[in-house]
């Protein structure tokens, strides 16, 4: 039974990764080039989540506005419900993240606002996106890595 569940998770992760690769070949969303650090300017907006321990579907992007930079979970975003889910930027590669180390040196953007639909998280002023490698959703109460995406 556990093997079947693990195979389903791996299959879903592979499909999400393929979707992310396909989206990366599409033109990037329009991000003002002057407002983001160089590494973020060069990276196209991503779609999908690369690694998921729990169900996470949908797309996300970064957007720069006059008042700062925002992480956006788009209208198609959805995930399984869980207690104490938080959104982080992490210096770890998403493939290296583990339950208990997920938040090490990470910056918390806030509590996950909803398990589905559009939502946004303002990045702290002066944050250097080049210092981060991944976007994470993590259950703080139980130190459980929910899933994430490479930045």
């Amino acid at each position: 039974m556990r093997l079947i569940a693990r195979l389903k998770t791996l299959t879903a992760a592979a499909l999400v990764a393929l979707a992310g690769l396909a989206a990366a070949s599409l033109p990037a969303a329009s991000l003002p080039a002057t407002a983001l650090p160089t590494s973020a300017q060069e990276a196209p907006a991503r779609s999908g989540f690369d690694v998921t321990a729990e169900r996470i579907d949908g797309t996300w992007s970064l957007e720069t506005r006059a008042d700062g930079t925002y992480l956006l979970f788009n209208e198609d975003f959805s995930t399984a419900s869980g207690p104490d889910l938080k959104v982080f930027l992490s210096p770890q590669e998403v493939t290296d993240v583990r339950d208990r180390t997920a938040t090490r040196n990470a910056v918390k953007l806030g509590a996950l606002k909803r398990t589905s639909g559009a939502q946004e998280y303002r990045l702290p002023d002066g944050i250097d996106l080049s210092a981060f490698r991944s976007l994470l959703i993590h259950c703080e109460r139980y130190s459980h890595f929910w899933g994430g995406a490479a930045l």
Side-chain angles (χ1 to χ4, degrees):
M1 198 69 153
R2 293 180 83 194
L3 178 60
I4 292 172
R6 184 70 180 143
L7 286 173
K8 286 181 181 178
T9 300
L10 290 172
T11 301
L15 290 173
V16 168
L18 287 173
L21 288 173
S25 66
L26 297 174
S30 71
L31 297 174
T34 58
L36 291 176
T38 304
S39 63
Q41 291 174 20
E42 296 167 3
R46 295 279 308 206
S47 69
F49 289 81
D50 302 312
V51 176
T52 59
E54 304 298 334
R55 182 188 58 78
I56 305 177
D57 298 308
T59 57
W60 63 271
S61 58
L62 292 171
E63 181 177 291
T64 300
R65 302 176 186 163
D67 66 335
T69 302
Y70 289 79
L71 167 68
L72 307 175
F73 288 170
N74 299 315
E75 202 54 51
D76 61 351
F77 170 79
S78 70
T79 187
S81 294
D84 203 26
L85 296 178
K86 303 287 186 339
V87 179
F88 292 87
L89 292 179
S90 172
Q92 299 179 66
E93 297 291 338
V94 70
T95 53
D96 295 336
V97 173
R98 301 294 177 260
D99 288 340
R100 300 234 178 254
T101 65
T103 60
R104 186 175 295 154
N105 299 316
V107 172
K108 185 188 310 183
L109 300 180
L112 186 70
K113 296 174 183 176
R114 291 177 295 287
T115 57
S116 65
Q119 48 200 289
E120 58 186 50
Y121 303 87
R122 189 173 186 274
L123 277 57
D125 290 334
I127 195 165
D128 178 7
L129 282 174
S130 68
F132 298 95
R133 301 284 176 251
S134 58
L135 150 68
L136 308 177
I137 298 175
H138 180 69
C139 171
E140 275 194 310
R141 182 181 302 162
Y142 298 107
S143 294
H144 178 63
F145 173 54
W146 217 250
L151 289 177

